[in-house]
Amino acid sequence: MITVQEVIEIRKINKILDKIEFCKKNTTKVEIKLFLMSIEQQFILKNSLTEKQMSALEGIYDAIMDYKDALWNDVGEAHLSTWG
């Protein structure tokens, strides 16, 4: 039987792997993709990332999300100025 603690740990692992995959899919910079593949491989093998790696992953993820938000804001403003 699986415990609640094990489920929580599995969810944490999946969340990190999902974040790495999202970042890989949403960046075009080769250096960033290589970094992401490297930390993904390390995470799968060792089930851990250093604090510096985790911080870098969060920074990449936040930058992608900020870019997407800014892009949608620009689209919304363009739509309003065209039709508003």
Side-chain angles (χ1 to χ4, degrees):
M1 179 168 231
I2 193 164
T3 67
V4 172
Q5 190 60 37
E6 290 170 328
V7 170
I8 291 169
E9 190 61 31
I10 291 167
R11 286 184 177 175
K12 286 179 188 177
I13 291 168
N14 284 337
K15 187 175 180 181
I16 292 171
L17 290 173
D18 288 347
K19 192 171 280 192
I20 292 170
E21 190 62 30
F22 172 84
C23 291
K24 285 185 348 187
K25 286 182 180 178
N26 287 283
T27 188
T28 57
K29 294 188 177 185
V30 175
E31 301 86 10
I32 294 175
K33 283 187 186 236
L34 290 173
F35 170 75
L36 293 166
M37 288 188 296
S38 171
I39 65 170
E40 179 180 44
Q41 182 179 21
Q42 177 187 328
F43 187 69
I44 290 168
L45 292 174
K46 296 183 178 179
N47 194 26
S48 68
L49 295 176
T50 66
E51 193 172 316
K52 197 172 189 178
Q53 289 171 323
M54 197 63 187
S55 178
L57 175 59
E58 290 296 332
I60 293 166
Y61 179 81
D62 290 345
I64 291 169
M65 294 306 292
D66 288 347
Y67 174 77
K68 286 182 169 251
D69 288 344
L71 187 61
W72 277 111
N73 288 340
D74 288 347
V75 169
E77 289 172 10
H79 177 74
L80 289 174
S81 66
T82 302
W83 302 103

